[in-house]
Each structure stands twice: as structure tokens, then as C-alpha cells.
Amino acid sequence: MTESFHRSGEYENPYEGQQQAPVNPEWPPPPAYAPAPAPKKRNRGPVALLAAVAIVAAAIGGGTAYGIQELTGNDTVASSSTSTNVVPSAQKGTVAGVAKAVSPSIVEISADSNAGSATGSGVIITSGGEVVTNNHVVSGASQIKVTTSDGKSYSAKIVGTDSKKDLALIKLENAAGLKAATLGDSSGLQVGDQVVAIGSPEGLSGTVTSGIISALDRDVTVPTDEDQGQQSPQGDGWPFEFGGRQFNGDTGSDTTTYKALQTDASLNPGNSGGALIDMNGNIIGINSAMYSPTGAASSSSDAGSVGLGFAIPINTVKADLAKLRAGSTD
């Protein structure tokens, strides 16, 4: 049997027979492995900057679309998806929140022509004063006056009209810094979605009502004749046809039919051209017609909302905007 013993200050060499460097017991033992290299400093260039911008944009939410509009010019329309929230978070999903956020973007329109006087509503779509309304509100008008929610009055000129879609684009003269509405996406709407309507029924500017989307893709027929679009005090006003029947007066011989959103939000004469809005504050329709049980012999003052209103989907408006800006009068 082999024995081994160690004197003080010596150590056993496990690799007996191999040449080893002398070891001083006062030296620290060598590390078991090489130390890891120091981590490299990460690049905080453009990628990091883009990430920061994305985070800020997400935090801003609905304000992003409006901010982009202001930075890119007065003629840029703010458009959004259904998730954009124009309403402050503290009032999200409330009628009061929608009204406060969107009312400054809704105007009252008074149009005079040889056929009479029309009172309707419109939606500001650019800070420079472009306003979308119904063709039948301004058709044939020789003079147009627009009043904003803060009481300021402007003269306006027709830029373009599309009688087949009952749409018109007008431009306020010498206007700047107006609060433009954000145009939403009507393709994602569902029956039962809550909505808010803002307009000037019977000249009562800034009137707010609420309801739901009652139906989608309703065929609504409205007049394209200039004299049918004007509401005189003795006229029948806001005529339209639905389901083969005429309402609120004779639609005349020259008509157009379009797919409309149906809503039970209360609409009355004067709401025409105003906004139908989702609960995030996005414009999802332009109010255009209402059902009333009054007959052709009744005056427009006798007509009232019974919960059947119709609006042109905002995607139809967005698709037609370039044509309206080009001055189309088809």
C-alpha cells in the first residue's frame, strides 16, 4: 500500500510525474475559466428613436390623427380606423364626451336660391374650411352662409357636388385654424352599435341626439332636382323615398338611390348634412334623410322624427372626396 503524507506548506500534485510550474502558496489561485467579455454598448440610433416615437404615438391615441393633419397642411383630411379615440379617456364611451369633442367640427348651413331657403348642417373636414354636406342642402344656391359652433359666420362657395350620392363639398372663405373632424371607417359598423348625431334641426344649431345603428345597407332614394333640395317655410322639405313609398313630400322625377345606414338617433329637418358619430368620436356617416308619417300635404314644420333616420356611410364620402375637390357637378 502506498502512503503519502504532506509536510506543512506542501500540497499534493494530482498529476504526479508531469512537470508543473512552482506555486507560491501566497499567490491567488487561477480562475476556473476565462472571464466573460464586457457587454458591448447597444446602438441607440434610429431604431431606438423609432421605437420611442411609436410609444409616444400609442400614448397620444386619438390626438395623433389631428396632429398629423396640422403638421401636413390645411387641406389634409384626418382619417382613422375604428380604434382611434377622439374623445378624452376620462369621457370615453359617453354621449357628453362625444358631443364635447366633435361639436366644434359641426356647422349650420343656410343656403339661398331662387327656389327658396335651405337650412342644413355640415362637417368640417380640414382646418382650412372644407365642409362636407348633402347636395340637396346647397344645390342651386346663389348664396351660402355657414355658422360655426362658436358663433362665427363665414360666406362659402360650392367646390363640387355629386347629386348621385347626395354629397357636396363647400369651402369657407377666409377661414383658418378650424377644428376638423376625424373621418372614421363605416365598414366595421354593426347593428346595435351606439351612435351620436349632431346638427341644426329647425335651425337649432349644435343639437345632440343619440341612438344605435338600426340597420345597414338600406336603399334610400332622394331628389336631385335643385328645387327639391330647398326648404321653403311652406314647402315639404327633406323628401325621400324608402321601400317604394315617398315621405315628407314629393321626391320629384329626378332621384338617386344609395345605400344608407339606418339609425334611431332622432333626426329632424335641418340635421341633413350633419354628422353621425361613433362613441370614439369618429364621423361614420353624413345624415341625409328621415322618415316621418306626414303626407305630402303636410308642411315640414309638422314632420318629426320617429326613430328612422338615414345617413350616407363615411366610406362613401371618403371615396368621393377627390371627385368633389375636382369640382364635379355630376
Side-chain angles (χ1 to χ4, degrees), residues 53-306:
V53 171
I55 292 172
V56 172
I60 291 175
T64 304
Y66 185 69
I68 290 173
Q69 173 193 339
E70 290 302 305
L71 290 172
T72 54
N74 290 342
D75 292 331
T76 302
V77 178
S79 185
S80 74
S81 67
T82 54
S83 61
T84 299
N85 190 15
V86 180
V87 181
S89 57
Q91 294 182 301
K92 183 178 179 180
T94 66
V95 174
V98 172
K100 183 177 181 180
V102 184
S103 288
S105 302
I106 311 303
V107 300
E108 179 181 323
I109 299 175
S110 297
D112 297 326
S113 74
N114 294 332
S117 177
T119 300
S121 306
V123 179
I124 300 171
I125 62 169
T126 64
S127 61
E130 286 184 322
V131 173
V132 168
T133 186
N134 285 138
N135 174 65
H136 73 257
V137 171
V138 297
S139 179
S142 57
Q143 182 177 347
I144 301 174
K145 177 183 175 182
V146 174
T147 305
T148 56
S149 64
D150 58 3
K152 293 182 180 179
S153 295
Y154 298 87
S155 295
K157 299 294 184 181
I158 296 175
V159 176
T161 61
D162 187 343
S163 60
K164 294 179 181 179
K165 294 183 176 66
D166 195 21
L167 291 172
L169 180 69
I170 63 175
K171 180 70 180 291
L172 279 56
E173 297 180 344
N174 303 316
L178 301 179
K179 184 174 182 181
T182 299
L183 308 186
D185 181 1
S186 53
S187 66
L189 294 175
Q190 299 182 48
V191 173
D193 284 347
Q194 289 183 297
V195 291
V196 173
I198 304 179
S200 301
E202 304 292 355
L204 300 174
S205 61
T207 296
V208 177
T209 57
S210 64
I212 62 169
I213 296 292
S214 305
L216 303 171
D217 299 326
R218 292 295 200 198
D219 286 327
V220 172
T221 301
V222 296
T224 58
D225 295 358
E226 291 182 2
D227 58 345
Q228 292 290 337
Q230 307 298 325
Q231 292 179 202
S232 63
Q234 293 79 31
D236 293 318
W238 207 352
F240 83 104
E241 181 179 310
F242 176 70
R245 299 173 59 197
Q246 293 180 345
F247 301 101
N248 310 336
D250 185 6
T251 57
S253 58
D254 193 359
T255 62
T256 185
T257 301
Y258 56 82
K259 298 289 185 180
L261 305 173
Q262 181 181 320
T263 178
D264 68 349
S266 180
L267 302 179
N268 289 284
N271 273 114
S272 191
L276 192 66
I277 313 155
D278 68 18
M279 299 308 291
N280 287 328
N282 301 300
I283 311 299
I284 47 90
I286 299 297
N287 299 321
S288 58
M290 62 165 236
Y291 166 84
S292 178
T294 58
S298 300
S299 68
S300 62
S301 61
D302 295 328
S305 175
V306 292

